[in-house]
Amino acid sequence: MNPVFQNIIVTIVAFIYVFGIVGLMDFFVKKGFPQDLSRKVVHLAAGSWLIFWLFYDSSHWTKYLNISPAFLWTLLLLQKGFFAKDDDQAVKTMTRTGDKKELLKGPLYFTIVMNLFGTIFYGSNLALYAMGFLTWGDGLAPVVGSRFGKHKFKILSEKSIEGSFTFLIFGVIGTIIFHLLFGISVNWNFLIVCAFISTITEALSPKDLDNILIPLVILLLYKINF
């Protein structure tokens, strides 16, 4: 198949996937699904968008179209964060409290990271580590911590031992799954280092900045080790 045509088709499917998840969660929120859970479902689904890299023809520059959904959401989050009405479904689906300004923090930072990894670090082993921990570890830690966290601690923001443990375990699982899908061997020593350092980073992160700090720390660790 012509690589341009192939990459355009994959991009269209990726759009349907990303916007379909958001639309689905809009529907469930209207039916009473908790906003904080909806936010994390979108987080998990959006971060897993890199599985579409498997279907791009990397020989052509149009592989970078993979960031199109993330780039469009970056623009939408900026627009909605400043100008959305209180009843905007994106505000209800992607914020904790219904405050549109939240869209300019964690969700916006997340799409910026997606844009960077989909271009500068496209197809790299580094991206699998960073997105594994950011998507699955950071996506599930608040869900478990807020509902089942009994051992709270606060440094720059409130966390829990249970949430941090969830981050570590599911960050490792997510990273391994991404490596299996891409057929790339896991460097177990590096994975262990990533697991503990990124878990500490998440525990120390100010509220909403973990979406930037976690991939940044993993990037620095990767550069040091490789």
Side-chain angles (χ1 to χ4, degrees):
M1 182 184 292
N2 180 283
V4 176
F5 185 59
Q6 176 178 332
N7 290 348
I8 289 174
I9 290 176
V10 176
T11 301
I12 291 171
V13 175
F15 261 106
I16 294 171
Y17 165 76
V18 172
F19 282 83
I21 291 294
V22 175
L24 185 64
M25 295 318 301
D26 283 348
F27 172 79
F28 283 126
V29 167
K30 289 177 182 177
K31 297 295 183 180
F33 192 79
Q35 279 185 233
D36 61 330
L37 284 182
S38 169
R39 183 174 183 267
K40 287 306 175 181
V41 171
V42 172
H43 178 109
L44 291 168
S48 297
W49 115 103
L50 58 74
I51 61 176
F52 287 98
W53 292 356
L54 291 166
F55 306 102
Y56 279 93
D57 186 328
S58 297
S59 67
H60 196 271
W61 69 265
T62 51
K63 65 187 177 185
Y64 295 117
L65 289 174
N66 81 87
I67 69 164
S68 299
F71 183 74
L72 180 55
W73 264 112
T74 301
L75 299 179
L76 287 172
L77 289 170
L78 286 168
Q79 185 272 325
K80 291 176 181 294
F82 286 112
F83 305 112
K85 296 180 180 179
D86 292 338
D87 61 350
D88 189 289
Q89 282 305 307
V91 175
K92 294 180 180 180
T93 304
M94 302 173 69
T95 65
R96 299 183 187 92
T97 64
D99 180 2
K100 65 184 179 183
K101 295 299 183 183
E102 284 186 39
L103 296 175
L104 301 174
K105 298 176 182 178
L108 178 62
Y109 303 153
F110 192 82
T111 61
I112 291 172
V113 168
M114 290 172 66
N115 287 316
L116 291 174
F117 278 100
T119 50
I120 299 173
F121 303 109
Y122 168 83
S124 68
N125 196 10
L126 165 63
L128 305 185
Y129 287 102
M131 294 308 297
F133 281 97
L134 181 60
T135 300
W136 289 94
D138 191 51
L140 291 171
V143 176
V144 174
S146 62
R147 283 165 171 74
F148 307 106
K150 303 297 183 183
H151 303 87
K152 305 286 187 179
F153 63 91
K154 184 173 183 179
I155 301 174
L156 295 176
S157 61
E158 186 173 86
K159 308 282 183 177
S160 71
I161 298 296
E162 292 83 357
S164 293
F165 185 71
T166 299
F167 177 92
L168 188 151
I169 296 300
F170 282 94
V172 168
I173 291 173
T175 300
I176 292 172
I177 290 173
F178 283 155
H179 277 80
L180 289 173
L181 289 172
F182 280 83
I184 299 175
S185 298
V186 176
N187 183 313
W188 295 103
N189 290 333
F190 182 68
L191 179 60
I192 291 170
V193 171
C194 273
F196 284 100
I197 299 299
S198 60
T199 298
I200 293 171
T201 301
E202 193 274 339
L204 297 176
S205 294
K207 189 176 181 180
D208 293 316
L209 288 181
D210 47 359
N211 284 349
I212 292 177
L213 294 177
I214 291 167
L216 179 60
V217 165
I218 293 176
L219 170 61
L220 293 175
L221 289 172
Y222 193 86
K223 293 298 184 182
I224 291 171
N225 283 272
F226 300 103

